[in-house]
Amino acid sequence: MSDKKQFRILALTLLGVIILIGVSGIAGFLLMMRGNEITTVPDVAGFQLEDALISIQEKGLNTKIQLKYSSDPGDRGKILEQKPQPGSILRAGSYVTLDVSRGTIIDKIDDYRGWNIKDLRSHLMSIFATYGTVLNIKEPLVQIHDSSPEGTILQQKPEPGEPLTSFTELELVVSRGPGESMEEIPGFIGMDFQTAITKAASMNIPFTFVAKEAKANEKKGTVIAQTPEAKTQVPKGTMLQLTMTDPEPDGTKVFGILERTIPDYPVKMSLKYEIISPFGERTEIFTIKHKGGIISIPYFVEDGSTLVLSVDNRELVNFQVKK
């Protein structure tokens, strides 16, 4: 083979190598440029998941999905939140995290007949504390006398098994118990007011007090009148109204009457009355079953004491006594 021919072959080979290197360089440059592409995050909040995925993929982005409960049954399958926020600038291939609703934590009405209304309130409160309320008890309750224990749920609307598609109020018929039983009111006249409080509370007789100055023939700090009168037969739970005289003054103590109106309850709740001394000593005075309304409790305590009223261990009143 002649030198001229060999030179031509070598030249063509070198040219091919140069072209190949150039093509590879251009391809690498294009790939590098593509990897550096930037894009804008679209706003997909409220989209159905399928539509959101398409919108994000069109921007050259990838997705991560997190399922969460929500408070609106109609949100099922929709985008609740996204990260990063709409309008954020990302490189192509980056990830967008989508929070997708899996619906409400309950999706149909359960059968609550036979439940106690107090237990149902606690149950619904615990379920919806995190995810928002979709089922609420309609007030006021319909209450009727029935052989079932007081507070038992007898009827409900919507019926058990109905789907929850939106915020729903649960209409309930609740037992008042087997009817009004009667009780005889004992006599309180002549008792010192603290003994009268203890006795009434121990018998679950709701009471109120009013105070007046003692007359010449009246002993201070005692009950001088009551309504209903002693030995009267009244329906259980009838309010007892007691009139007392002001106690003998004491330089270190303060006398007064704690008057409050607490919420009316469909069933009797545990009302606890406590006194905290200025030194932090806590003393329970009484616990009584109470349906709410007016509270009127006399006190005769050290200046700086704190009076505490709680219903089922939920503090309603915290009052510091001052002269």
Side-chain angles (χ1 to χ4, degrees):
M1 183 180 298
S2 65
D3 291 342
K4 187 175 181 180
K5 189 172 183 179
Q6 286 180 346
F7 176 78
R8 182 179 297 174
I9 292 172
L10 180 60
L12 290 172
T13 301
L14 289 172
L15 180 60
V17 171
I18 293 170
I19 291 172
L20 181 60
I21 293 172
V23 170
S24 298
I26 292 171
F29 176 75
L30 291 175
L31 288 173
M32 182 182 69
M33 290 298 293
R34 180 172 178 79
N36 287 332
E37 283 182 358
I38 59 174
T39 186
T40 304
V41 177
D43 185 356
V44 294
F47 282 32
Q48 288 292 332
L49 177 59
E50 181 180 350
D51 297 331
L53 292 176
I54 292 172
S55 180
I56 289 174
Q57 288 170 2
E58 287 176 346
K59 292 290 188 175
L61 298 168
N62 296 313
T63 53
K64 292 180 181 179
I65 294 174
Q66 299 179 159
L67 296 177
K68 292 186 175 182
Y69 288 110
S70 58
S71 60
D72 186 350
D75 282 344
R76 187 180 182 89
K78 290 184 180 180
I79 309 303
L80 301 175
E81 292 185 44
Q82 64 179 83
K83 294 177 183 178
Q85 295 297 315
S88 301
I89 305 299
L90 297 179
R91 293 188 183 279
S94 298
Y95 281 84
V96 177
T97 300
L98 302 178
D99 290 346
V100 183
S101 171
R102 62 192 306 173
T104 55
I105 194 167
I106 60 173
D107 56 8
K108 65 179 180 180
I109 304 292
D110 287 333
D111 189 352
Y112 300 116
R113 293 169 299 186
W115 284 50
N116 183 279
I117 183 64
K118 177 181 171 184
D119 295 336
L120 178 56
R121 291 185 193 280
S122 299
H123 174 68
L124 295 181
M125 185 179 297
S126 64
I127 286 180
F128 300 129
T130 302
Y131 304 108
T133 301
V134 294
L135 182 64
N136 192 48
I137 297 173
K138 185 176 181 179
E139 303 288 355
L141 296 171
V142 177
Q143 300 181 69
I144 62 174
H145 289 297
D146 185 81
S147 59
S148 303
E150 183 179 9
T152 301
I153 297 170
L154 305 174
Q155 300 174 33
Q156 68 177 75
K157 187 178 179 181
E159 295 291 328
E162 288 197 24
L164 267 175
T165 57
S166 61
F167 176 81
T168 300
E169 283 199 315
L170 188 62
E171 299 180 29
L172 301 174
V173 177
V174 178
S175 172
R176 285 187 181 273
E180 290 186 326
S181 56
M182 305 296 285
E183 65 180 349
E184 182 178 286
I185 295 294
F188 291 87
I189 294 175
M191 289 184 184
D192 69 83
F193 75 93
Q194 292 164 324
T195 301
I197 289 173
T198 302
K199 182 173 182 177
S202 68
M203 298 179 68
N204 273 313
I205 300 174
F207 59 85
T208 61
F209 273 82
V210 294
K212 56 183 290 187
E213 289 185 10
K215 295 180 180 178
N217 60 339
E218 293 173 338
K219 185 176 179 180
K220 293 187 177 182
T222 61
V223 176
I224 58 173
Q226 69 176 76
T227 304
E229 295 180 355
K231 298 186 178 181
T232 302
Q233 292 287 329
V234 297
K236 220 166 196 180
T238 297
M239 183 70 72
L240 174 66
Q241 301 175 25
L242 300 173
T243 302
M244 61 170 288
T245 54
D246 295 339
E248 190 72 41
D250 185 319
T252 65
K253 291 186 176 181
V254 180
F255 173 71
I257 294 182
L258 178 66
E259 295 181 331
R260 293 290 189 278
T261 299
I262 62 175
D264 290 319
Y265 300 103
V267 295
K268 291 180 180 179
M269 310 287 274
S270 292
L271 176 70
K272 181 164 65 175
Y273 174 57
E274 300 172 285
I275 297 176
I276 305 174
S277 76
F279 310 104
E281 297 174 352
R282 195 178 193 111
T283 303
E284 180 179 328
I285 306 303
F286 66 79
T287 296
I288 186 173
K289 292 293 184 181
H290 208 286
K291 294 190 72 170
I294 297 174
I295 298 293
S296 179
I297 308 169
Y299 58 84
F300 192 39
V301 296
E302 296 290 337
D303 185 26
S305 297
T306 301
L307 313 181
V308 180
L309 275 177
S310 304
V311 172
D312 281 1
N313 294 319
R314 297 193 309 274
E315 191 173 291
L316 295 182
V317 176
N318 188 301
F319 171 71
Q320 187 173 43
V321 175
K322 293 289 186 181
K323 281 189 176 181

